[in-house]
Amino acid sequence: MDRRISYSLRYGLWFRLRKLIIWLLGVYIAIPFLVKLCPAIQAKLVFLNFVRVPYFIDLKRPQDQGLNHTCNYYLQPEEDVTIGVWHTVPAALWKNARGKDQLWFEDALGSSHPVILYLHGNAGTRGGDHRVELYKVLSSLGYHVVTFDYRGWGDSIGSPSERGMTYDALHVFDWIKARSGDNPVYIWGHSLGTGVATNLVRRLCERETPPDALILESPFTNIREEARSHPFSVIYRYFPGFDWFFLDPITTSGIKFANDENVKYISCSLLILHAEDDPVVPFHLGKKLYNIAATSRSFRDYKVQFVPFHTDLGYRHKYIYRSPELPRILREFLGKSEHEHHH
């Protein structure tokens, strides 16, 4: 009797397990077809603009994130598009900045301090924890930091697209340049933001208004190579027709973020920062991009530098701001790039 019960229990368990395995296999096989039929899914996974982390933060109040010397603006790059912008002033202006209005902050861009336009990566908002920590570091080093949420991110209105993100960045850059006088303006892109940064700087170089330097933190070569290397793609990497199912829909959606192509048309100082233990954008992609840029004729009159951060430091994808070496790296690199800039 007991043997019959244990047999039926075992059989029932095996039957349920088999059902689960078949169901999981069905889902595993269905997902590539779903992505192929609906490329918008891949676009959403690239942008992740619907992921709001931290969620309960009022982007109108940067002081809630410990940024007491930051002003929140709204700019309108084009009709039906509004973007939220944060402007953090350098440490030397902190005291004066208390309780001041937007006009004071805009005027402050003309004070004798360099400006960094920061282009963030996918997911989250301009109020993301690691982003806020970097603004604080850069502000303490004497830089104005201007950052914003692309259309469709945070409280910015509009639909995300590569063209739209690049246009938003161009609009903010021009807005800064109209107020910053002769102060150097640097562009800093992180992760997906490096794709926006090289799109922007290529365009700026083509119209002969380059920035004073470009800083790429955790960059990739192009979105296809990044998607192939992303941890999410591990379970499908050896799936027959991986490129056709997963990478072609990204291209179909008009998403390229071709850093490797763009650097061939960029003429300004370039600094690449990458952690060896980056689990999101593999270190070898940042190194590959550096090798392309370093041999490109467009950089022959400019400094191109690659700074790796050892695995033991644990900076991974978004914690390079913790490096005690960062102030020195920036001082040495940006100090030189100011002198090297050809007018």
Side-chain angles (χ1 to χ4, degrees):
M1 185 71 177
D2 286 350
R3 200 180 295 165
R4 279 224 314 270
I5 290 170
S6 79
Y7 173 76
S8 63
L9 272 173
R10 272 210 311 265
Y11 181 77
L13 192 66
W14 165 239
F15 180 73
R16 281 208 299 262
L17 191 65
R18 206 173 60 177
K19 254 174 80 172
L20 179 67
I21 289 167
I22 291 167
W23 184 81
L24 285 173
L25 201 63
V27 170
Y28 178 78
I29 291 166
I31 284 173
F33 288 95
L34 195 64
V35 167
K36 187 67 186 174
L37 290 169
C38 187
I41 294 172
Q42 271 296 59
K44 280 207 170 343
L45 288 175
V46 169
F47 296 138
L48 290 180
N49 58 301
F50 55 91
V51 178
R52 290 283 305 266
V53 183
Y55 193 77
F56 299 105
I57 132 173
D58 184 353
L59 292 168
K60 291 186 179 70
R61 293 177 51 84
Q63 63 269 32
D64 292 353
Q65 305 308 111
L67 294 169
N68 298 318
H69 35 279
T70 299
C71 189
N72 180 62
Y73 311 137
Y74 290 97
L75 301 179
Q76 198 167 6
E78 50 191 346
E79 219 183 336
D80 302 327
V81 175
T82 305
I83 56 174
V85 182
W86 279 0
H87 170 200
T88 302
V89 294
L93 303 179
W94 285 1
K95 263 203 185 87
N96 297 343
R98 287 241 170 92
K100 296 294 199 299
D101 62 1
Q102 180 171 337
L103 275 175
W104 182 90
F105 274 84
E106 287 190 35
D107 285 346
L109 283 169
S111 64
S112 57
H113 294 275
V115 185
I116 291 178
L117 168 59
Y118 177 78
L119 305 171
H120 71 63
N122 68 359
T125 67
R126 63 189 182 278
D129 294 343
H130 64 282
R131 294 164 187 160
V132 168
E133 291 309 315
L134 179 66
Y135 313 153
K136 289 176 181 172
V137 169
L138 296 176
S139 169
S140 71
L141 296 176
Y143 300 100
H144 286 276
V145 183
V146 177
T147 185
F148 67 96
D149 279 313
Y150 316 104
R151 60 188 71 188
W153 270 260
D155 55 356
S156 297
I157 297 161
S159 299
S161 68
E162 181 173 354
R163 187 208 69 84
M165 294 163 79
T166 305
Y167 191 79
D168 294 346
L170 179 66
H171 183 81
V172 178
F173 178 84
D174 286 340
W175 180 88
I176 292 168
K177 287 297 278 184
R179 290 157 181 77
S180 59
D182 292 331
N183 298 321
V185 178
Y186 308 122
I187 290 168
W188 184 312
H190 172 246
S191 193
L192 190 67
T194 65
V196 182
T198 68
N199 279 349
L200 168 64
V201 177
R202 174 177 177 172
R203 202 157 158 181
L204 293 176
C205 290
E206 283 169 352
R207 71 171 202 193
E208 298 183 353
T209 57
D212 293 272
L214 170 61
I215 299 162
L216 301 178
E217 179 190 357
S218 316
F220 48 86
T221 43
N222 58 67
I223 202 66
R224 285 179 76 100
E225 287 199 353
E226 162 53 19
R228 193 180 287 121
S229 309
H230 198 280
F232 285 161
S233 73
V234 168
I235 58 167
Y236 283 107
R237 208 165 290 160
Y238 304 106
F239 191 89
F242 174 81
D243 285 25
W244 189 78
F245 278 112
F246 290 97
L247 304 185
D248 292 353
I250 298 177
T251 313
T252 306
S253 302
I255 303 169
K256 295 190 178 72
F257 290 114
N259 288 337
D260 49 358
E261 270 306 298
N262 289 339
V263 292
K264 295 171 187 169
Y265 299 90
I266 288 174
S267 296
C268 70
S269 298
L270 171 66
L271 172 64
I272 296 178
L273 310 169
H274 214 136
E276 291 175 359
D277 57 339
D278 189 329
V280 178
V281 179
F283 179 77
H284 72 86
L285 290 185
K287 189 73 175 151
K288 185 175 176 182
L289 182 66
Y290 165 74
N291 290 332
I292 294 167
T295 55
S296 168
R297 288 184 57 208
S298 63
F299 284 103
R300 63 175 175 234
D301 294 331
Y302 296 93
K303 186 180 172 67
V304 180
Q305 189 180 345
F306 182 86
V307 180
F309 294 87
H310 198 274
T311 303
D312 294 349
L313 296 165
Y315 296 152
R316 297 171 68 78
H317 184 57
K318 54 187 187 185
Y319 301 113
I320 285 175
Y321 73 81
R322 292 178 180 166
S323 169
E325 294 297 308
L326 193 58
R328 178 190 58 78
I329 292 164
L330 293 177
R331 193 170 55 246
E332 288 178 6
F333 179 78
L334 295 176
K336 284 177 184 169
S337 75
E338 282 170 43
H339 305 310
E340 282 183 12
H341 191 62
H342 295 250
H343 296 283

